Amino acid sequence: MIMAEDIIQPLETQFSELLTIIQGHRSAASRAVNTEQLQMAWEVGAYVSSKLKTEQWGSKVVTQFVEYAHKLMPDLYGFSRRSIYNMVMFFEEYSSKTFSDVLNRYMPSSIVQAPAQLSLSQPSSPSSIVQAPTQLQTLLNQTTFSKHVVILNQCKVPEERLFYILYTHKERLSFRELQRCISTDTFTNLLGSKDNLSKGLKEMYPSSPVLFKDTTYLDFLGLPKNHNEMALREGISSHMKEFILELGKDFIFMGEEYPLEVGGETFHVDLLFFHRGIQALCAVELKKTPFHPKDMGQLNFYLEALDRDVKRSNENPSVGILLCPSANKTVVEYAMSRNMSPTLVAEYKRQLIPKEKMQILLDEYCEYLNEELK
């Protein structure tokens, strides 16, 4: 006798296979469209840049072209005066020697591997168009033109631009998520000093310096200056999507006030996550007061309980994150230097801080990305 489930299961399998085919082709189509858009932006930018630099054209001529194009092709979208200049910026900045030098210094060819190669020139193209190196073609194809425009406009140094291209691709950031990451200075928060990581975390998870931020911005919570830990936790729970973006997209939320039974007593982890990248539970303990070394004892206790009673056999040792409003860097360094539990201390800020000039800290990030692909 054939049971209903014997029929349903094979159909579900076939449907899943069919859906995989559809999704694969949709992704390929999307990549092809993006490749063509970048190709067009490069060639248009190169052509107009050449005319402007030789003073054959002025800004008025660009406006005249836009009017001419719209008259002949009324359904032509995306070609305003501003968009033309964005294409010029796209070409000039990425074809510059400054960006090329940074690219050659920091980016081994194995870091980015685009499924559809961007040629950035065609045999029929005007001779004024510069052929881009293969390494640059591969890099630019990692994200969309609209995101390149955000990166070019909001990031002033080539190292920062390179970082956000790589980070956007790796984290699959949306347009708004990219804007948020730039405004919260993910570049320096992710690549800054790592004295806030315990010795155990660095040894157990070598990639941790580029997985965990030093600072998390919680301006979306609207917290008053005098707030308690409950208000902080409840605010984060109500804005979990925004909070996970601040932490990193590999975090999966598992629960708040997560209960741990130890010796007949019940203890609660403020927030519990699972990190897909390192395949480990992550306990987040929230503090409304500045960091104190005694806080690490509580966090280490939670990690021991998680590893003994919650962690599955196929998962790695749990990680603890202490999130506090401020931390004395020297005190944190002392507390972390001999701590063999995989823990870190991170600060949270209630409001965005104006961006300062950044240091060049890209070597570390590219090194870890390259290691992941080996």
Side-chain angles (χ1 to χ4, degrees):
M1 179 177 179
I2 299 176
M3 304 296 290
E5 56 266 28
D6 293 330
I7 299 174
I8 293 174
Q9 184 57 43
L11 278 177
E12 289 181 347
T13 302
Q14 294 171 44
F15 290 165
S16 177
E17 292 173 348
L18 182 57
L19 189 59
T20 299
I21 293 173
I22 294 171
Q23 290 174 329
H25 283 287
R26 289 185 65 183
S27 297
S30 178
R31 289 193 298 269
V33 169
N34 183 56
T35 299
E36 287 300 320
Q37 186 178 28
L38 291 174
Q39 177 89 26
M40 177 190 66
W42 179 272
E43 293 191 14
V44 170
Y47 187 91
V48 177
S49 174
S50 171
K51 297 297 184 182
L52 292 172
K53 285 183 177 179
T54 57
E55 298 185 350
Q56 296 180 47
W57 284 19
S59 60
K60 184 178 180 180
V61 178
V62 175
T63 302
Q64 290 174 339
F65 164 74
V66 172
E67 294 171 350
Y68 172 82
H70 283 215
K71 182 178 179 180
L72 291 183
M73 303 175 65
D75 59 344
L76 184 64
Y77 298 104
F79 280 88
S80 64
R81 183 177 183 276
R82 180 67 267 163
S83 66
I84 295 293
Y85 275 102
N86 282 338
M87 295 177 192
V88 171
M89 175 176 61
F90 176 76
F91 170 76
E92 291 183 347
E93 294 296 332
Y94 288 142
S95 65
S96 69
K97 185 179 184 302
T98 302
F99 190 80
S100 177
D101 290 343
V102 169
L103 190 63
N104 292 330
R105 176 183 176 187
Y106 290 110
M107 201 190 83
S109 57
S110 57
I111 286 182
V112 290
Q113 298 176 2
Q117 291 298 318
L118 172 66
S119 65
L120 296 183
S121 70
Q122 294 177 349
S124 60
S125 300
S127 60
S128 59
I129 296 179
V130 178
Q131 171 70 45
T134 303
Q135 191 179 31
L136 175 60
Q137 297 170 14
T138 306
L139 174 72
L140 297 185
N141 209 37
Q142 302 305 298
T143 192
T144 64
F145 177 69
S146 61
K147 293 174 187 174
H148 277 299
V149 172
V150 172
I151 292 170
L152 288 166
N153 277 305
Q154 297 187 26
C155 304
K156 303 306 178 186
V157 296
E159 291 82 7
E160 188 183 9
R161 288 170 176 166
L162 174 57
F163 167 79
Y164 282 111
I165 294 172
L166 296 172
Y167 191 71
T168 298
H169 174 72
K170 183 175 182 294
E171 296 293 324
R172 295 182 174 86
L173 298 181
S174 68
F175 185 83
R176 290 187 177 182
E177 289 170 345
L178 170 61
Q179 289 179 311
R180 169 77 187 179
C181 285
I182 295 175
S183 67
T184 56
D185 205 359
T186 298
F187 180 72
T188 50
N189 292 332
L190 199 60
L191 304 184
S193 170
K194 295 303 175 181
D195 292 336
N196 64 319
L197 307 181
S198 70
K199 183 178 180 180
L201 181 62
K202 293 176 182 177
E203 292 183 357
M204 203 171 297
Y205 300 107
S207 62
S208 58
V210 296
L211 295 179
F212 302 107
K213 296 181 181 179
D214 298 333
T215 306
T216 299
Y217 289 95
L218 304 181
D219 55 299
F220 51 84
L221 299 184
L223 290 171
K225 185 175 182 180
N226 296 318
H227 61 275
N228 56 32
E229 290 171 10
M230 181 180 293
L232 176 60
R233 177 172 51 78
E234 291 178 349
I236 289 174
S237 297
S238 299
H239 297 78
M240 187 54 64
K241 182 178 179 181
E242 293 90 341
F243 184 66
I244 287 179
L245 177 58
E246 282 298 299
L247 291 179
K249 279 196 165 184
D250 275 340
F251 285 87
I252 300 174
F253 182 54
M254 295 188 63
E256 62 174 305
E257 288 286 275
Y258 193 90
L260 297 173
E261 300 287 340
V262 179
E265 298 184 48
T266 302
F267 302 86
H268 295 90
V269 178
D270 284 335
L271 300 168
L272 185 65
F273 295 87
F274 183 80
H275 194 283
R276 294 183 302 171
I278 59 175
Q279 290 291 293
L281 295 167
C282 291
V284 177
E285 189 64 15
L286 306 172
K287 297 296 178 183
K288 70 170 184 177
T289 54
F291 171 75
H292 193 283
K294 66 181 180 182
D295 298 331
M296 299 309 299
Q298 180 186 24
L299 190 57
N300 287 335
F301 174 79
Y302 289 160
L303 295 185
E304 185 68 21
L306 286 170
D307 282 350
R308 290 195 188 193
D309 305 325
V310 182
K311 180 178 79 69
R312 295 179 179 179
S313 60
N314 63 316
E315 295 173 354
N316 295 314
S318 304
V319 172
I321 302 174
L322 190 68
L323 196 59
C324 55
S326 62
N328 183 298
K329 294 186 181 298
T330 303
V331 174
V332 170
E333 182 185 356
Y334 273 56
M336 296 288 103
S337 63
R338 297 193 181 188
N339 187 355
M340 295 310 298
S341 293
T343 56
L344 67 138
V345 176
E347 296 180 321
Y348 69 84
K349 304 298 182 183
R350 295 182 303 109
Q351 297 177 336
L352 294 180
I353 298 175
K355 193 188 307 182
E356 299 176 351
K357 185 177 180 179
M358 294 181 234
Q359 300 296 318
I360 299 177
L361 298 166
L362 204 54
D363 274 318
E364 182 181 2
Y365 185 72
C366 291
E367 178 184 341
Y368 283 113
L369 284 182
N370 198 38
E371 285 296 321
E372 288 181 1
L373 294 171
K374 289 183 178 180

